[in-house]
Amino acid sequence: MNKLNEIIKKIDEIDFSKENKIQKRLDNLTKPQGSLGGLEDLAKQIVLITNKDNPSLDNKVIFTLAGDHGIADEGVSAFPKEVTAQMVYNFIKGGAGINVLARHIGARVIVVDMGIASDLEFDDGVVIKKINYGTKNMIKGPAMTRDEAVRAIENGIVVFEDEFLNGVDIVGTGDMGIGNTTASSAIASVITGKPVEDMTGRGTGIDSKSLSMKIELIKKAIDVNKPNSEDAIDVLSKVGGFEIGGLAGVMLAAAARKVPIVIDGFISAAASLIAFKLEPKVKDYMISAHCSVEKGHKTVLDYLGLSPLLDFNLRLGEGSGAALAITIAEASVKILTQMATFKDAEVSEKLDT
Amino acid sequence: MNKLNEIIKKIDEIDFSKENKIQKRLDNLTKPQGSLGGLEDLAKQIVLITNKDNPSLDNKVIFTLAGDHGIADEGVSAFPKEVTAQMVYNFIKGGAGINVLARHIGARVIVVDMGIASDLEFDDGVVIKKINYGTKNMIKGPAMTRDEAVRAIENGIVVFEDEFLNGVDIVGTGDMGIGNTTASSAIASVITGKPVEDMTGRGTGIDSKSLSMKIELIKKAIDVNKPNSEDAIDVLSKVGGFEIGGLAGVMLAAAARKVPIVIDGFISAAASLIAFKLEPKVKDYMISAHCSVEKGHKTVLDYLGLSPLLDFNLRLGEGSGAALAITIAEASVKILTQMATFKDAEVSEKLDT
């Protein structure tokens, strides 16, 4: 718990009083004032987060954390459990969606075993931070112990801190774990207080019958475990997942280092709820990449006060939406740092009207 | 008119019967079926447009066409007329928004003088296709002659064809011209049949009084010239602009070469209306980059049946929104061509449910 408490203490409140000054700088660039809309807002947010006048986002890193879920044994996913490990092999061989998108935007992908149900047969290129061999089935009791929940978050912190030594200017969060929309829906329902039905979607693509069963299982898990919505560690331990805890740790550690955090889809959003409950200040370091089709995602973003950048009906996870949003974020910063001013370019300014 | 008619004849109808086959290919990649949503749709559209199984979008080109507008003398813009030429200098020096964004995505910017009101003092890096020294003031008569309108479109065709020799895999459309939202609103109102009030926005940022005047001027221009909404050349000549005609030409030429066209903002949308009225088949080659804040843009996109990719409250023009959309389009194609299949990656497929 020491590592977690220490990192939380290091998260500074963002000084929004500087916002007008950055907008003035944007207004001096050769374009009608405000004409780059959302890009200008992003650039401002990144200057505020980094506390650098001219941030560069050369070092783009996507953390894709993997873990298994005991609840998968109940058939909540359209895919078998072994897919978690199989996809990790795919990540390290570079054939998954996140690999393609990360290469496209020039980002590194850090793949982490937070709690895959098996030992990996080969793990070159995987950071091993395994807490346990998958969570326990949460309809029968807590998904993990309280100690495991803390260690999951702290392992996420360590993963970020270790990578930070190689340079990290912006972070994308990603996940892999068969069954993890189920855990995420449970977390989202408990923390936002919204009904399970409103927070539960089809994940990898289950049919309506399986969706009804998934909802009933989540209700049962909440009923059996009675997580305390005001205690994020309690929620994570009772209905969460190792990769979700790890992502919350990555987020807290990134905020402590003033690194912008690009939140991917629904699982990352659930992790951001855990991080937010541990330290609300972390929210201002977050950029929502996109609104996925997973039911409940929009509600979680509203709860956090985040506006999604993209709306492409994505539901892959892995950090795929974050990758696309990161390249937009980088573009926004380049607008601020590379565009000519009216004065430099000798362009006439707006007429007085 | 020969060049225009010839290019129109070369535009093939897209064979949508291949769509299912491409979706099946996407469904074999290591991700839940359909989980990359809009990216999958984009990839399919680009395969259909290019008629290539494995298109590559290495050669990304943004055509930023500039022209002046006689109507600017009435004070419809927040900026003085000389800004058109000044911004062209800014483009060739690399300091404008479009330069920054094009560099970010690895695109070339082709800057064209379609009809700036003055001769450029230096024009290294500008393609000179000047039709005239700005259009005439359209409240007093046609903005240009019918012959000039045809030549504007044909010059756009030549600009594309010349650049095609250097390799063009995807096109972004961009514009620069003080007063050109006024011409675009007039075109949009005439072709869609919607009231001028619904198609007229604040452009570079005029106040409400100037906006009312702008609306009245557009109404007057339409009343004075009585453009025939079924005759695109008539509309372009009476209430259009040289850069708008040129962009329509670029679009038609790109479609004839099976090159995807990424439509930027409101001015590009007006040009796409002209191109569409000349040859409706061109529409299927178009990708709408974004929905700008300029009033009427959404209506034009609906008229064309296009769904915007991004929604960032942009209103800069130049091709800025197109640049961002092009890198998303490139990502979508890489998903199709670079991701591993379930078989190759030895990942278990969806369970039978």
Side-chain angles (χ1 to χ4, degrees):
Chain A
M1 198 79 188
N2 278 350
K3 202 186 294 294
L4 174 55
N5 288 332
E6 272 167 34
I7 218 77
I8 286 174
K9 266 187 243 155
K10 284 187 190 154
I11 301 176
D12 288 334
E13 200 131 357
I14 287 180
D15 179 6
F16 286 100
S17 72
K18 294 178 182 169
E19 200 168 346
N20 281 345
K21 204 179 133 199
I22 313 167
Q23 186 62 54
K24 275 196 185 130
R25 223 179 114 196
L26 285 161
D27 290 347
N28 279 324
L29 304 175
T30 45
K31 58 175 184 51
Q33 289 186 9
S35 61
L36 283 174
L39 285 189
E40 299 190 29
D41 294 338
L42 254 182
K44 274 185 287 186
Q45 192 185 351
I46 292 167
V47 169
L48 290 170
I49 289 171
T50 57
N51 203 24
K52 289 178 187 168
D53 286 342
N54 294 298
S56 110
L57 303 184
D58 286 344
N59 287 292
K60 297 172 276 289
V61 181
I62 292 160
F63 291 92
T64 303
L65 273 51
D68 270 308
H69 293 262
I71 191 76
D73 296 339
E74 304 291 330
V76 290
S77 176
F79 285 84
K81 204 170 181 173
E82 61 263 28
V83 165
T84 305
Q86 290 168 348
M87 282 301 296
V88 166
Y89 300 139
N90 199 14
F91 294 151
I92 57 182
K93 284 187 283 186
I98 188 55
N99 301 111
V100 174
L101 296 174
R103 282 197 298 270
H104 178 62
I105 67 154
R108 311 197 293 274
V109 181
I110 308 298
V111 182
V112 186
D113 175 0
M114 288 295 306
I116 300 171
S118 57
D119 283 315
L120 294 168
E121 289 168 46
F122 53 100
D123 60 11
D124 262 13
V126 183
V127 180
I128 308 294
K129 294 286 170 190
K130 201 189 271 291
I131 302 294
N132 209 330
Y133 293 86
T135 57
K136 298 210 159 33
N137 187 338
M138 64 183 183
I139 61 165
K140 299 177 183 170
M144 64 186 89
T145 66
R146 193 173 171 94
D147 176 61
E148 284 177 325
V150 172
R151 281 196 291 129
I153 299 171
E154 292 190 336
N155 278 9
I157 293 169
V158 171
V159 165
F160 176 87
E161 283 288 310
D162 286 351
E163 192 56 32
F164 189 72
L165 301 174
N166 300 322
V168 181
D169 299 322
I170 189 164
V171 156
T173 64
D175 69 283
M176 179 67 225
I178 297 301
N180 68 6
T181 60
T182 305
S184 298
S185 293
I187 291 170
S189 176
V190 170
I191 292 185
T192 67
K194 302 281 178 191
V196 172
E197 287 84 349
D198 296 352
M199 305 306 278
T200 308
R202 291 173 190 271
T204 48
I206 53 175
D207 61 19
S208 297
K209 200 180 140 198
S210 300
L211 176 60
S212 301
M213 184 194 68
K214 182 175 170 182
I215 290 169
E216 289 313 310
L217 289 166
I218 294 170
K219 285 182 180 175
K220 190 170 172 190
I222 293 172
D223 192 50
V224 164
N225 292 293
K226 299 190 174 42
N228 172 4
S229 64
E230 290 309 307
D231 178 354
I233 308 279
D234 192 60
V235 178
L236 176 64
S237 66
K238 286 173 173 168
V239 297
F242 298 130
E243 78 282 36
I244 297 172
L247 285 173
V250 166
M251 293 172 193
L252 294 167
R257 292 288 191 176
K258 302 190 190 306
V259 171
I261 310 154
V262 180
I263 308 291
D264 188 35
F266 186 58
I267 285 87
S268 289
S272 66
L273 286 174
I274 301 289
F276 173 74
K277 276 286 173 186
L278 287 167
E279 176 47 72
K281 280 186 280 190
V282 72
K283 195 268 283 182
D284 294 329
Y285 292 83
M286 293 178 181
I287 295 162
S288 164
H290 70 110
C291 191
S292 78
V293 287
E294 193 66 9
K295 202 172 173 179
H297 191 181
K298 178 74 174 56
T299 308
V300 173
L301 295 178
D302 287 346
Y303 179 89
L304 291 165
L306 298 175
S307 299
L309 214 51
L310 305 170
D311 188 3
F312 291 168
N313 293 322
L314 305 177
R315 53 179 174 83
L316 175 59
E318 301 179 2
S320 50
L324 297 174
I326 285 173
T327 199
I328 304 284
E330 191 177 15
S332 81
V333 167
K334 288 180 177 175
I335 286 293
L336 181 70
T337 58
Q338 298 184 6
M339 265 185 77
T341 61
F342 282 104
K343 205 176 155 190
D344 288 344
E346 297 175 59
V347 172
S348 307
E349 294 201 48
K350 194 173 172 182
L351 299 163
D352 286 327
T353 49
Chain B
M1 197 79 187
N2 277 350
K3 200 185 296 293
L4 174 54
N5 287 332
E6 272 167 33
I7 219 78
I8 285 174
K9 265 187 244 156
K10 284 186 190 155
I11 300 176
D12 288 334
E13 200 131 357
I14 287 179
D15 179 7
F16 286 100
S17 72
K18 294 177 181 170
E19 201 168 345
N20 280 346
K21 203 179 134 199
I22 313 166
Q23 186 63 54
K24 273 195 185 133
R25 224 180 114 195
L26 284 161
D27 290 346
N28 278 324
L29 303 176
T30 45
K31 57 174 184 54
Q33 288 184 11
S35 61
L36 282 174
L39 284 189
E40 298 190 28
D41 294 339
L42 253 181
K44 274 186 285 186
Q45 192 185 351
I46 292 167
V47 169
L48 290 170
I49 290 171
T50 57
N51 203 25
K52 289 177 186 167
D53 286 341
N54 294 298
S56 110
L57 303 184
D58 286 344
N59 287 292
K60 297 172 276 291
V61 181
I62 292 159
F63 291 92
T64 303
L65 274 51
D68 270 307
H69 293 261
I71 191 76
D73 296 338
E74 304 292 330
V76 290
S77 175
F79 285 84
K81 204 169 181 173
E82 61 263 29
V83 165
T84 305
Q86 289 168 347
M87 282 301 296
V88 166
Y89 300 139
N90 198 15
F91 293 152
I92 56 182
K93 283 186 285 186
I98 187 56
N99 302 109
V100 174
L101 296 174
R103 281 197 298 269
H104 179 61
I105 67 155
R108 310 197 291 275
V109 181
I110 307 297
V111 182
V112 186
D113 175 1
M114 287 295 305
I116 299 170
S118 57
D119 283 316
L120 294 169
E121 288 168 46
F122 54 100
D123 60 11
D124 263 14
V126 183
V127 180
I128 307 294
K129 293 287 171 191
K130 200 190 271 291
I131 303 293
N132 208 330
Y133 292 86
T135 56
K136 296 208 162 32
N137 187 337
M138 65 183 182
I139 61 164
K140 298 178 180 169
M144 64 187 89
T145 65
R146 192 170 173 95
D147 176 60
E148 284 177 326
V150 172
R151 281 195 292 128
I153 300 171
E154 293 190 337
N155 278 9
I157 292 169
V158 171
V159 165
F160 177 86
E161 283 289 310
D162 286 351
E163 192 56 31
F164 189 71
L165 302 174
N166 301 322
V168 182
D169 298 322
I170 189 165
V171 156
T173 64
D175 70 283
M176 179 67 224
I178 297 301
N180 69 6
T181 59
T182 305
S184 298
S185 293
I187 291 170
S189 175
V190 169
I191 292 185
T192 67
K194 300 282 178 192
V196 173
E197 286 84 349
D198 296 353
M199 305 306 277
T200 308
R202 292 172 189 271
T204 47
I206 53 174
D207 60 20
S208 297
K209 201 181 139 198
S210 299
L211 176 60
S212 301
M213 185 194 68
K214 182 176 169 180
I215 290 169
E216 289 313 310
L217 288 166
I218 294 171
K219 285 182 179 173
K220 191 171 171 189
I222 294 172
D223 191 51
V224 164
N225 292 293
K226 299 189 174 44
N228 172 3
S229 64
E230 290 309 307
D231 178 353
I233 307 282
D234 193 59
V235 177
L236 176 63
S237 65
K238 286 173 173 168
V239 297
F242 298 129
E243 78 282 36
I244 297 172
L247 285 173
V250 167
M251 293 172 193
L252 293 166
R257 292 288 192 177
K258 304 190 190 305
V259 171
I261 309 154
V262 181
I263 308 289
D264 187 34
F266 186 58
I267 286 89
S268 289
S272 67
L273 286 174
I274 300 291
F276 174 74
K277 276 287 170 183
L278 288 166
E279 175 48 72
K281 279 186 281 192
V282 72
K283 194 269 283 184
D284 293 330
Y285 292 83
M286 292 177 182
I287 295 161
S288 165
H290 70 110
C291 192
S292 77
V293 287
E294 193 66 10
K295 202 172 172 178
H297 191 182
K298 180 74 174 54
T299 308
V300 173
L301 294 178
D302 287 346
Y303 179 90
L304 291 164
L306 298 175
S307 300
L309 214 51
L310 305 170
D311 189 3
F312 290 169
N313 294 322
L314 305 177
R315 52 180 174 83
L316 175 59
E318 302 179 3
S320 50
L324 297 175
I326 284 172
T327 200
I328 304 286
E330 192 177 14
S332 81
V333 167
K334 289 180 177 174
I335 286 293
L336 181 70
T337 58
Q338 298 183 8
M339 266 185 77
T341 61
F342 282 103
K343 203 175 158 193
D344 288 344
E346 297 176 57
V347 172
S348 306
E349 296 201 47
K350 195 174 170 179
L351 299 163
D352 286 328
T353 49

